[in-house]
Each structure stands twice: as structure tokens, then as C-alpha cells.
Amino acid sequence: MTSIAQVDPIVASVIQHRLLAIVEEMGEAMLRTSYSQILNSSRDFSTAICGLDGRLIAQAEHVPIHVGALPFAAKAVTEFFGEDIHEGDVFLLNDPYHGGNHLPDLTAFVPVFEDGEARFWSINRAHQSDIGGATHGAYNAAATDIWQEGIRITPLRLYDRGELRRDVLEMIATNVRHPRDFRGDLAAMIGSAHVGERRLLHLAAEFGWPGTHAAIKAVLDGAERRTRAVIAQWKDGVYRGEAVLDDDGRGNDNIQIRATVTKRGSDLVIDLSNSHAQVTSFVNSSYPNMYSSVVVALSYLIDPDTPKNDGTFRPITIFAEPGTVVWANPGAPVTLATNHCGQEIIEAIIKALAPACPDRAMAGWGRRFRVALQGQDPRSERPFIWHFFQARPGGGASPAGDGWPGGGEWQAAGGIKFGSLEVTEVRFPLFFRRHEFRPDSGGRGRYRGGPGGIAEIVVETSEPAIANTAGDGVRYGACGILGGSDGAPHRYTLYSEGRPPRAIKTKEVGLVIGPNDVLVLESGGGGGWGNQALRDPAAVACDIENAFVTKVNAETAAVARDIENAFVTEVNAGTAVSPPPQAAEGD
């Protein structure tokens, strides 16, 4: 193999960008061929290339929480099949205790061969609209073990030397509620992974396998150097941060995720051992999902143009305790963990490191509050499962400026979209009366958190539909940081004729939605960054003009600036402006 000293840095850079182009093309193929709206509109999938040893070589910028767990899945498939991997094979996996994030995220693996020997995995991980289990839509808030959440797929061969194992496919498709969509989405995943295989083989043919391997090593080592150079600039010390989940829906409230981060030189030791004990419901995390959350937090603190690969994450050492909410014992339910407690792991780490790198730390992004609706479309008399992705929560503010309006959750960082409302109304018996930004939902600060959204939806079914919810954040909003305030929490309400409005809880199953019931779903905003007394008055005026902030709240913020600067006493300020209304708890 060519030594690293013989690799032309220009060639290494070309190959680095070619690898990125490959995984991005895999994503475009997936977007254009998948069946389900959760994939072809909301883009809840990720693509990557890993070595057979699990090294992450390249990833596309899709859903960050997916990718950090992929090396564990790649190693699990390699270790299970060993030498029994052949050209034309395709493998599947979704089990969180074998490298999956959660059961809905099915992963397809296509091996890439060099001179008859498997060298790489071309990978597509995609969230399925249903994966079986006790409830539709993959999120079972009532689950007390993982077997109630869906079908578990440990390393499994679906194609054997190019031949489909029809019995295996039939078995899996029989265990999901919409087998037609599942088959179409799975075919798209496999096609996407084959695109990666072909493009990687073409790359190697152009540069030669020795040069390709040497360039990959140079890319990984270069990512490590760049990451360490950033970390080395931060102040050494021991830092602590904490994030809190509302509850687990089963009587455990205020679930703490605690991070102790030790920074020495260019190394980070992240200790999550003091986190809350494992709980009853699906907010627990497996180790791969916990690891992925940690590396996502680091990714947000380093230079954005640093490739995110195996080298990037070498400076990290992680300590955690089995039996805690961040590393549950095998068999515990974990479906919500990609969002919660995954997002709280990210939050605790960034809160801890904010004093060490205030010019890089961002405020919290809005939390997830998912609704999955199952019913029958009266126009076609066909069953449907619809996942609520509209009215995304707001993104967190940062030293670079205000948070993105409707940016989504921290663990996805804008990678998941809400798709076209018009297409949604064509596909599902739903009518959107309004879909707009939610005023005053972003946290205050020198830079404001991004506003969340409001969706008012009429459910136009003839028979009652059933909703399940999965989420958090009606008690605790997205965290403000370095003096910024928290974003507003969520507020979801069901309106039924002849009944009082009903607050929708974040973790419930079997919620009956009658014909022509109305859902008013108000998502939380992102956290604010920095002291609000330093906010530019012109930015406040712009916020009012764009209806991101109401005039009353803007005036309250101005008074706070006056108090901060001692222009006005607190007593006199209190008589001038009434306090803004507080968001009601919905859970």
C-alpha cells in the first residue's frame, strides 16, 4: 500500500470531496425513489461509507444523530458474517443494541470489494413509517420493553450473491402495517447503497486502490489534526452541564442528564455516569445512540468545514454507566432516544463546554413533539399513517446570530424537513387552516432563538382516527446559553366539537381524533444566546416587523436592557410594562 508520505495533498483533497459527492449522490437517489413522505419529503435518512472495521469514512449532511451510531452497526455486520460476505450481498440491521439508533431506523449495507476482498460498506439508514410492534408509526409511549416497539432485526442477509431471499423479505414486510410502502422504501435504500458502491469502485479505478486507501488515511488523519487544533484553543479545566427531560410518561419526572467534561490539551473526556437511572419508557438510549449524541455535540463546536469522520472523533473518550438512561440495559425500550434523551446529551455537553469556548457554543434547539395519526382516507378508503413534521421548532441562537426559524431539533440540525403542505393534503385527509411562525417563542438574548411554528389542522376523516404521541418539551423549552433565556415550551391542543379543548400529552397512545376535529400544534422556539441587554435595537424592530416578536414582549426586553444599564430602576420599570403572558404547560 502507498505510504502516507507519497500522497499528494491535492489528490487527497480531491478524493475527500469525491467521497462527499458520493454520499450526497446516494442521498439524492434515495430522495427521488423512496415511497413514504417521511423519506421523500421529510428526508429522515442518512448515507455514509464505512470501513469493514467500522471506521466512518464519509457521511452526507443529512440527520446527524444517525451517523455516529453507524460504525457500531458496520462492525456488528462484519463480525457476525466474517468471511461469509460476497459480491452482490445486501445486509439489513435495525437493532439499537447492535448499532442501530432505534427500531424505525432500518439500515441497508452493500459491501464494496477490492480484488475479491470486501473493504467497505456503502450504507443507507432510513426511518420507516412503520416497523410493526404494538402501535402504528413506530413510537409506542406505553412500551416497557423493546419487543413492544417493533420487529428487531439483528445482522441479516437479504440478498445472497445477488439473489433476493424472498422468504426473508416476506417475513419482514408481513410484520409492518404498510408492506407496499415498506417494500418501495427498502428498494430505494438498497438502490441508494448500490449507487455508493458503483461510485466508490469508479473512484478506485481512477486513482488505484493503494492511492485511494492512502488518501482516505490522510483525510481521516487530517480531520483529527483539525479537530485537535480547535480543542487545544479552549481553556483547560473540568466543566459540568445538565439537561432535564420533562418526564418518561410513566411517573418519572425531571430526568437529569449530567455531563462532566475534562479538557486537557487537545483531548476531551466526557463522563455521563452521573445521569438518571434507566426509566420505564422509551426515553432510554442504547450505547451507540449515546455515542452518536456525544459526537454530534462535538461536531457543533468545531469548524463546520472539518469533515465528520472517524478522525474527527478520536480526541473523545467517553465514560458512562450501564443501567442509566443514557446507556440502558439490553431489552429496555429506546425508540424516542434519537430525540430524547439524545438531545439532552447534546445539551448537557454544550452547556458544560460553553465557558471554555463561548465563541462556538450555541443555544438549544427546539425539542421534538411527534404525532403519528392512523386512520382511513375517505377519498380512497385506504388506510394511512401520517407523521407530523410541520411547524418545526426553532433553532438555537449562536455567536453568529439569531436562530433559524423552524430549524427543527438539535439532533437533526435542520436535516429533517416538513415538506409541502399541498402534497400532504393530497396524500392525506388533512386540511391546513394555517401554518405560520409562532410569535414570542424564541428565547431572548443578544441573539434571539428561532421562532417555532403553529399548525392548525382539520382532520377530514369519516371515521375516528387514532393518534400516538412521542416527544418532550411542554415543561422545559430549548435552553438559553451564556445569559440567553430559554425558548417557549410546546403547546399542543385538540379541539373537538361539544368538548372543552384538550391538552395533548407528549407521551400517550390511543388518542381518539374524531372526524373534523382540529389540532392546534404550537412548537417551541430555540434558546437565546448572550445578554439580551446587548441586542441591537434595529434587530428588535425587524423582529416586530416580521412578527417573530410582539410589541409587548419587545418593550419588556427593552425595559430589561434599561435595568441592566441602570437607566431605570426595577420598581419603576415594573409599573411601565406588564409582564408577558407565560406559556401554559400542556402536560
Side-chain angles (χ1 to χ4, degrees):
M1 185 178 293
T2 304
S3 70
I4 195 64
Q6 296 174 279
V7 179
D8 187 317
I10 295 176
V11 173
S13 178
V14 168
I15 290 179
Q16 172 190 323
H17 288 87
R18 286 280 292 276
L19 290 168
L20 179 59
I22 289 170
V23 291
E24 288 179 342
E25 184 181 354
M26 292 167 64
E28 290 301 308
M30 180 68 178
L31 183 66
R32 285 161 171 72
T33 57
S34 52
Y35 278 40
S36 299
Q37 187 186 36
I38 198 171
L39 300 177
N40 59 33
S41 291
S42 297
R43 305 180 183 223
D44 196 348
F45 62 81
S46 295
T47 56
I49 295 170
C50 283
L52 257 69
D53 58 359
R55 288 180 306 152
L56 178 63
I57 306 299
Q59 61 161 307
E61 293 187 358
H62 291 138
V63 182
I65 197 68
H66 282 167
V67 184
L70 284 179
F72 296 91
K75 284 191 286 188
V77 176
T78 302
E79 290 171 1
F80 187 88
F81 288 98
E83 300 297 320
D84 189 19
I85 299 172
H86 311 282
E87 293 190 60
D89 287 353
V90 177
F91 301 92
L92 300 180
L93 180 148
N94 79 338
D95 188 74
Y97 298 103
H98 288 80
N101 287 100
H102 59 176
L103 294 182
D105 287 335
L106 185 62
T107 310
F109 302 81
V110 169
V112 181
F113 279 76
E114 172 191 345
D115 300 329
E117 182 179 355
R119 287 287 193 179
F120 300 98
W121 291 115
S122 179
I123 304 173
N124 181 302
R125 174 163 288 179
H127 187 113
Q128 307 302 300
S129 62
D130 188 83
I131 201 67
T135 58
H136 67 271
Y139 288 86
N140 181 7
T144 56
D145 62 47
I146 194 171
W147 293 275
Q148 297 168 333
E149 296 188 294
I151 184 171
R152 296 177 69 180
I153 302 172
T154 54
L156 176 74
R157 192 194 314 269
L158 181 64
Y159 279 79
D160 187 351
R161 296 177 173 87
E163 293 295 324
L164 172 65
R165 298 179 64 190
R166 292 179 54 248
D167 54 341
V168 173
L169 177 59
E170 190 65 25
M171 183 275 294
I172 300 173
T174 300
N175 277 277
V176 301
R177 289 171 174 82
H178 288 175
R180 173 186 174 274
D181 287 358
F182 174 82
R183 290 171 183 269
D185 292 335
L186 179 58
M189 292 170 63
I190 295 169
S192 165
H194 278 305
V195 168
E197 175 197 23
R198 291 194 298 271
R199 295 293 183 264
L200 189 54
L201 289 172
H202 182 79
L203 175 69
E206 181 175 349
F207 291 95
W209 278 113
T212 299
H213 285 298
I216 288 172
K217 183 179 186 304
V219 169
L220 302 186
D221 291 346
E224 179 182 7
R225 288 193 300 273
R226 294 180 65 179
T227 302
R228 288 189 180 278
V230 169
I231 296 172
Q233 297 172 10
W234 306 344
K235 183 179 178 181
D236 285 355
V238 179
Y239 304 94
R240 292 176 174 83
E242 179 178 289
V244 184
L245 289 88
D246 292 348
D247 57 57
D248 72 342
R250 293 293 175 271
N252 294 298
D253 295 334
N254 303 318
I255 299 167
Q256 296 93 6
I257 310 298
R258 300 185 180 97
T260 300
V261 183
T262 303
K263 188 270 178 185
R264 291 285 183 269
S266 63
D267 290 301
L268 293 176
V269 177
I270 298 173
D271 190 342
L272 300 169
S273 301
N274 196 31
S275 296
H276 197 284
Q278 176 179 323
V279 295
T280 307
S281 81
F282 59 176
V283 301
N284 299 298
S285 177
S286 66
Y287 187 95
N289 186 78
M290 178 266 286
Y291 176 89
S292 189
S293 303
V294 172
V295 301
V296 167
L298 175 64
S299 297
Y300 292 154
L301 296 173
I302 61 176
D303 294 339
D305 58 351
T306 300
K308 311 305 186 294
N309 56 40
D310 177 80
T312 313
F313 310 133
R314 291 173 188 167
I316 295 177
T317 301
I318 300 174
F319 290 99
E321 283 291 322
T324 58
V325 69
V326 302
W327 184 4
N329 293 318
V334 295
T335 301
L336 190 56
T338 53
N339 291 280
H340 309 291
C341 63
Q343 182 148 318
E344 286 68 32
I345 295 171
I346 297 169
E347 179 180 323
I349 293 169
I350 291 182
K351 277 183 175 178
L353 284 170
C357 53
D359 58 333
R360 292 177 177 269
M362 72 172 77
W365 289 47
R367 299 190 175 192
R368 185 73 177 109
F369 192 168
R370 178 188 298 268
V371 178
L373 189 66
Q374 180 185 42
Q376 186 177 58
D377 190 334
R379 301 168 298 182
S380 63
E381 298 186 350
R382 290 180 57 184
F384 71 89
I385 298 176
W386 172 71
H387 294 265
F388 174 63
F389 276 97
Q390 286 72 23
R392 306 294 283 167
S398 73
D402 295 340
W404 291 344
E409 303 83 24
W410 217 343
Q411 52 83 25
I416 296 177
K417 317 297 182 184
F418 65 74
S420 163
L421 300 186
E422 291 78 9
V423 171
T424 301
E425 291 175 332
V426 169
R427 291 182 174 182
F428 302 98
L430 304 170
F431 172 65
F432 285 78
R433 281 183 177 167
R434 60 177 174 146
H435 186 260
E436 57 195 42
F437 293 127
R438 181 184 176 190
D440 301 324
S441 56
R444 297 172 183 164
R446 179 176 182 179
Y447 298 112
R448 166 193 44 73
I454 303 174
E456 184 175 339
I457 307 166
V458 182
V459 180
E460 297 182 325
T461 55
S462 299
E463 301 293 333
I466 302 296
N468 297 329
T469 68
D472 204 74
V474 296
R475 196 172 302 153
Y476 298 104
C479 69
I481 207 161
L482 296 171
S485 65
D486 294 349
H490 299 300
R491 183 169 53 204
Y492 283 24
T493 311
L494 171 64
Y495 292 87
S496 304
E497 187 174 355
R499 299 179 184 175
R502 191 252 205 222
I504 301 174
K505 298 180 180 180
T506 55
K507 304 169 184 74
E508 60 178 310
V509 296
L511 175 60
V512 178
I513 310 292
N516 298 312
D517 279 1
V518 178
L519 299 169
V520 178
L521 309 179
E522 301 172 80
S523 64
W529 187 95
N531 186 345
Q532 66 174 344
L534 301 178
R535 185 159 180 77
D536 185 348
V540 176
C542 184
D543 288 341
I544 295 172
E545 183 178 3
N546 290 318
F548 291 165
V549 174
T550 61
K551 189 174 183 180
V552 169
N553 275 279
E555 289 173 347
T556 304
V559 169
R561 286 197 300 272
D562 289 343
I563 295 171
E564 178 79 17
N565 293 317
F567 295 158
V568 175
T569 66
E570 190 169 352
V571 171
N572 279 285
T575 63
V577 179
S578 299
Q582 298 296 310
E585 289 190 358
D587 210 357

